[in-house]
Amino acid sequence: SNLSPIAIAFSPILVLPARVTLAKGRARVVAVRAASRPTQGRVAPKTKSTVFSLSVAETKADSKGLGLVALTALTALALPEAASAAVNPVASAFAAYGHYLSLVLVVASLTTEKFLVKPGLTEDDAQKLVIADSVYGVAGVLVLYTGYLRVTEYGKGWEYYAHEPIFWVKMGLFAVMGSSSLFCTTKIVQMAIAKTNGETPALSEKLANRMQKIITGELLAIGSIPLAAALMARGVGYSENMPWQAGAAPVALVSLGLSIKYLKEAFQ
């Protein structure tokens, strides 16, 4: 026989009991069956009662075809195990935990800023405002980093997210939140510099109202992100024909445009 051990192992001819006809060449029709019980006291003859009696086609094409089937089967069995082994569950869990924790810190710091920003800001409240805005900045960077890890390493993969329009809506919400925060951060830094120079930080009613509105907008944006994430994870709107540039370009334009707008307003 020209069959390799792997081809024999995966060959459908070995189903017991079975009667198989090979389609190609001048193959013979054979019966394959297992003996019901061993023969006592003597060696079983090489007849139909032999444990396995196998006949194959006389051409090499059939044996090569079976070998390819076996190789395909082995590959299909091996790939899922390799894919699952490549993902470290502990690292994936920490990436998810860091992502959720950073989002909680962003909401907490923005809420703190909303309560602290008011006309006639005291020096103590101004110091707390600096701390809250610093936490907000660090948490925002952590959101981006852990989000990047989840997209490229521990999530469904870039090939999925790139064609998911809700993913780009989520990124757009984050861009709105981050870009609009530049106004408040700039004003807080300016007040901190004034305090360092011995001046009393002043916050007018007009400026306080403007900062309050922007912080409210940031909270609304980040409050919409979990909904976008839930829709995204369920494949709502997914399209393989969508190029990633179609999603990335609007996000970049929104981020750039709002950053210029709020920085220009803050320095006026």
Side-chain angles (χ1 to χ4, degrees):
S1 173
N2 294 325
L3 283 176
S4 64
I6 295 179
I8 293 176
F10 285 87
S11 174
I13 306 174
L14 296 182
V15 179
L16 302 175
R19 188 172 185 85
V20 182
T21 302
L22 297 178
K24 295 182 180 181
R26 295 170 297 171
R28 293 171 294 170
V29 179
V30 297
V32 183
R33 69 180 184 179
S36 59
R37 60 172 71 89
T39 304
Q40 297 180 356
R42 61 189 181 86
V43 178
K46 296 183 180 180
T47 64
K48 291 184 179 180
S49 61
T50 307
V51 178
F52 294 109
S53 178
L54 179 64
S55 175
V56 297
E58 297 176 354
T59 60
K60 292 184 179 181
D62 292 323
S63 62
K64 290 181 179 179
L66 290 174
L68 290 175
V69 171
L71 181 60
T72 304
L74 285 173
T75 305
L77 291 173
L79 284 178
E81 296 180 0
S84 60
V87 177
N88 187 332
V90 176
S92 177
F94 272 100
Y97 171 74
H99 196 63
Y100 302 144
L101 177 62
S102 57
L103 288 172
V104 171
L105 290 175
V106 166
V107 173
S109 58
L110 283 175
T111 304
T112 302
E113 290 184 15
K114 187 168 178 61
F115 280 106
L116 289 175
V117 172
K118 55 183 179 292
L121 189 69
T122 63
E123 291 187 9
D124 185 51
D125 287 344
Q127 183 63 33
K128 292 178 182 178
L129 194 59
V130 171
I131 295 174
D133 198 65
S134 299
V135 172
Y136 174 74
V138 173
V141 173
L142 186 60
V143 168
L144 281 177
Y145 177 66
T146 54
Y148 170 79
L149 290 179
R150 300 194 73 195
V151 167
T152 58
E153 300 292 336
Y154 306 120
K156 295 184 178 181
W158 170 249
E159 288 302 320
Y160 172 82
Y161 296 112
H163 305 291
E164 172 56 71
I166 305 297
F167 168 76
W168 295 109
V169 171
K170 178 184 173 184
M171 295 301 296
L173 290 170
F174 189 82
V176 169
M177 183 190 71
S179 300
S180 58
S181 69
L182 292 175
F183 178 85
C184 295
T185 298
T186 302
K187 290 300 181 183
I188 292 171
V189 170
Q190 288 174 348
M191 288 188 290
I193 293 174
K195 183 181 178 181
T196 303
N197 295 333
E199 302 174 9
T200 303
L203 189 61
S204 65
E205 184 175 354
K206 181 180 179 180
L207 179 57
N209 290 336
R210 179 59 176 154
M211 293 177 68
Q212 284 277 358
K213 289 180 180 179
I214 291 177
I215 293 172
T216 300
E218 293 178 68
L219 287 170
L220 289 174
I222 197 172
S224 302
I225 287 177
L227 175 60
L231 294 172
M232 172 191 71
R234 287 157 179 79
V236 176
Y238 177 84
S239 175
E240 292 183 355
N241 297 325
M242 175 186 172
W244 67 268
Q245 294 89 343
V251 173
L253 291 175
V254 167
S255 179
L256 180 61
L258 290 179
S259 297
I260 294 174
K261 175 185 182 299
Y262 285 111
L263 283 174
K264 184 178 179 180
E265 183 181 355
F267 284 106
Q268 284 180 350

